[in-house]
Amino acid sequence: MTDEEILASLTPIFRDVFEIDTLVLSRDMTAADVEGWDSFNHINLIIAIESRLDIKFQVAEIEELRNVGELVRLIRAKLG
Amino acid sequence: MLFNSYVFLFAFLPVTAAGFYLLGRTSPRLAVIWLTCASLVFYGWWSWHFAFLLLVSIAFNYLIGRAILAENGNAGRANALLVAGIGFNVAGIVYFKYLFPLLSFLSQHAVLHGQFEQVVLPLGISFFTFTQIGFLVECRQGFVEHEGLSEYAFFVTFFPHLISGPILQHREIVSQIRKPGTFGISSQNAAAGTALFAIGLAKKCLLADSFAPVADHGFANPAMLGSIAAWHAVLSYSMQLYFDFSGYSDMALGLAKMFNIAFPLNFNSPYKAVSVIDYWQRWNMSLTRFITRYIYNPTALWISRRRSARGLPVSRQGLRSAGGFLAMIVIPTFLTWTVAGVWHGAGLQFVVLGVLHAIYVTTNNAWRIYAAPSWKPVARQLPAWAHRAVLVVATYLAVVVGQIFFRAANVSDAMTMLRAMAGLHGMMNGIDTASPVLHALHSRLPAYFAPGAGTATPLSVLALFLPLIPFYAIVWAMPNSIEIVPGFLPSGMNERAEPHRFVWRPNMSWACATGMLIAASIASFSQVHAFIYFQF
């Protein structure tokens, strides 16, 4: 999967988890840009991504994610 | 040693800083060892026995960490070592902090018999235990490449964070001491660090400590208070606790900056929080980071994977169902916050504190999932400032209830205080002795500030609460010290570098302000109060 495809598949997940129907993702987006994205909701996002994209994250991998771009890169590495 | 003491300001700090700058020119390694030794002196000032205990703890964790790194290829063995390491750390803190209160409790309730001697609690044990547990997990997770003993000892003992945090992550500190740039004198860092330290010192000495007598008096005799005096004592305490911990965090970050080390943020205007979840992203941020990364996330992830394996929904739909909400939100939340509550102290009131916040966070999550969609259009009818004000005040009051359990001597006193606040012990009792200011006014102007117990004029009530107003202005409306003196590591997820108009600059006016703050603080040293998070 390309980065664009990953970004496109993440968009409905983000919209669902944060209940923002009009959310548009960009690679430099951070938690500060999305209402409700805090360190407790973060794990809900990760759980939703695991379930929808059928991948597994390590707790350590999700700790240091600084923005959506890094998340995309991590997912790309996992999808092979 | 206390930060707010003559020996620290005039002897320890200058000598340690001078040694660091001088040694740093020739050998970074010696500079690190110097700081470690100085930090041990700082810690051992209180009791050299416990400095010895700290060294034992460091040696033990260092060896286990090395063993985990060596065995990281073999998951079974590495995990066993990790569990053993965490177990020993927890056993240590249980022994010193919880065992004897627990045995006394059981003995009081006739479950056990015997007298149980109190054990002296080593300073900062809650902090350096958590810090080292974090290190062991980082070793297992692969965040530690190689580790020298001098680096590790420095990481644990570095005096700005040793006693009351922030709870550091190994990788954020070690990366800094491996950079040669850390070991020169940076006048910018030294000046900024001093300014932040001065602000913190003033918060502690001039603000927090001025509330202490009022809060102490109220919490010592909650049964004597009517609702006005009870609210006054509780609100005063909420200010004392805020400025005490805020001041401490400022001092810790400022001191580290003098040594060119950036600490993670620990305190970010928590009373401005619009929800309890937001509050925890702002109060003791390094603790929230620790419990989220090492308790909440692993638990939530494990539970959701088990649900997935059994074909149960785990996304939003799953959270909406009662079973899903219970499994994926309630269980991790209660586990995490009970630990966080109990970490704050040994006593039933800390269990209550933890459970209370677990209920708050669960309610917050439930609101987000079930109620927020229908509430949002309603909320948009209100002007934004009004909506925000309601949220801030509601959050603040919820937090204050928790603080009552944190401060009260026991659960019974906390309940007495709550009943007093609700007006069940009358309204006017205890006003005359509630505050030194009011007492002075009583004696000088009895016509306006009615004397005697059990009566009060409106002017008395005003005199009680008026002094609190500037502090509410500070905590709710002013920029905080990190916005004024920026340049620290992010601690959570949504910190933005908000540039503020009122930013510190290394110029004459700031130098004068810094000097005056330090001078005023030093003037108060004759009545030193230890930090609230001190004996932790």
Side-chain angles (χ1 to χ4, degrees), chain B residues 413-477:
Chain B
D413 273 11
M415 297 304 296
T416 306
M417 187 63 93
L418 284 168
R419 278 195 293 266
M421 285 165 75
L424 296 172
H425 299 165
M427 224 170 77
M428 303 295 194
N429 314 2
I431 290 186
D432 48 329
T433 54
S435 105
V437 169
L438 189 58
H439 197 73
L441 288 168
H442 268 154
S443 43
R444 280 169 183 69
L445 297 167
Y448 298 104
F449 303 91
T455 62
T457 59
L459 267 172
S460 307
V461 176
L462 208 61
L464 264 187
F465 288 100
L466 222 50
L468 283 170
I469 292 181
F471 295 96
Y472 281 101
I474 294 176
V475 306
W476 279 340

Side-chain angles (χ1 to χ4, degrees), chain B residues 77-99:
Chain B
R77 269 203 288 258
N79 286 336
L81 280 168
L82 178 64
V83 169
I86 294 177
F88 273 110
N89 278 301
V90 170
I93 191 178
V94 164
Y95 172 76
F96 282 105
K97 193 164 171 174
Y98 301 105
L99 185 62

Side-chain angles (χ1 to χ4, degrees), chain B residues 149-489:
Chain B
L149 179 59
S150 58
E151 288 177 328
Y152 181 69
F154 167 78
F155 160 67
V156 179
T157 60
F158 188 35
F159 70 90
H161 84 103
L162 177 59
I163 309 282
S164 300
I167 298 173
L168 302 175
Q169 300 252 242
H170 180 266
R171 56 194 185 266
E172 70 192 347
I173 298 302
V174 163
S175 57
Q176 295 186 61
I177 59 174
R178 287 184 184 165
K179 280 202 294 237
T182 306
F183 296 96
I185 308 182
S186 155
S187 44
Q188 174 86 359
N189 280 343
T194 306
L196 189 56
F197 177 81
I199 292 173
L201 188 64
K203 277 185 195 173
K204 163 63 180 156
C205 300
L206 305 177
L207 301 185
D209 287 353
S210 67
F211 286 111
V214 172
D216 290 348
H217 178 80
F219 277 92
N221 315 285
M224 312 293 261
L225 304 177
S227 62
I228 294 178
W231 274 95
H232 180 251
V234 164
L235 295 183
S236 302
Y237 181 67
S238 84
M239 285 302 162
Q240 178 194 353
L241 182 59
Y242 181 97
F243 287 107
D244 192 285
F245 196 53
S246 171
Y248 170 82
S249 295
D250 286 351
M251 285 197 253
L253 268 63
L255 284 170
K257 205 165 185 46
M258 292 181 203
F259 296 92
N260 303 317
I261 303 231
F263 271 3
L265 284 196
N266 208 30
F267 203 85
N268 187 17
S269 297
Y271 288 170
K272 292 181 186 169
V274 292
S275 68
V276 174
I277 289 180
D278 189 18
Y279 167 81
W280 281 102
Q281 318 279 307
R282 295 166 173 271
W283 181 283
N284 208 348
M285 294 154 76
S286 60
L287 175 69
T288 302
R289 176 175 70 174
F290 184 93
I291 62 180
T292 307
R293 285 186 176 178
Y294 298 138
I295 306 178
Y296 190 85
N297 284 353
T299 309
L301 212 51
W302 184 77
I303 288 176
S304 79
R305 284 183 185 159
R306 280 189 42 150
R307 281 180 65 85
S308 244
R310 283 152 60 200
L312 295 167
V314 294
S315 298
R316 198 102 194 137
Q317 181 198 7
L319 290 176
R320 277 224 172 82
S321 70
F325 186 80
L326 186 68
M328 295 198 291
I329 302 268
V330 175
I331 293 180
T333 301
F334 271 77
L335 179 62
T336 306
W337 263 275
T338 308
V339 170
V342 170
W343 176 84
H344 281 86
L348 209 53
Q349 71 265 41
F350 296 103
V351 178
V352 173
L353 174 69
V355 170
L356 195 61
H357 273 275
I359 294 173
Y360 288 155
V361 173
T362 303
T363 308
N364 200 162
N365 272 310
W367 175 270
R368 277 184 179 179
I369 293 170
Y370 299 112
S374 19
W375 171 255
K376 274 204 185 119
V378 177
R380 254 171 248 141
Q381 310 284 350
L382 292 168
W385 68 263
H387 183 223
R388 193 186 175 84
V390 166
L391 293 176
V392 165
V393 170
T395 306
Y396 174 67
L397 290 175
V399 160
V400 159
V401 172
Q403 290 174 347
I404 294 172
F405 284 93
F406 181 69
R407 175 61 178 82
N410 49 51
V411 175
S412 156
D413 273 11
M415 297 304 296
T416 306
M417 187 63 93
L418 284 168
R419 278 195 293 266
M421 285 165 75
L424 296 172
H425 299 165
M427 224 170 77
M428 303 295 194
N429 314 2
I431 290 186
D432 48 329
T433 54
S435 105
V437 169
L438 189 58
H439 197 73
L441 288 168
H442 268 154
S443 43
R444 280 169 183 69
L445 297 167
Y448 298 104
F449 303 91
T455 62
T457 59
L459 267 172
S460 307
V461 176
L462 208 61
L464 264 187
F465 288 100
L466 222 50
L468 283 170
I469 292 181
F471 295 96
Y472 281 101
I474 294 176
V475 306
W476 279 340
M478 281 186 56
N480 66 44
S481 46
I482 302 299
E483 289 163 339
I484 296 173
V485 186
F488 297 93
L489 300 176

Side-chain angles (χ1 to χ4, degrees), chain B residues 494-510:
Chain B
N494 23 25
E495 286 134 41
R496 233 195 265 262
E498 307 244 12
H500 208 278
R501 294 173 291 131
F502 190 63
V503 161
W504 173 85
R505 265 172 252 289
N507 58 29
M508 232 10 221
S509 352
W510 274 104

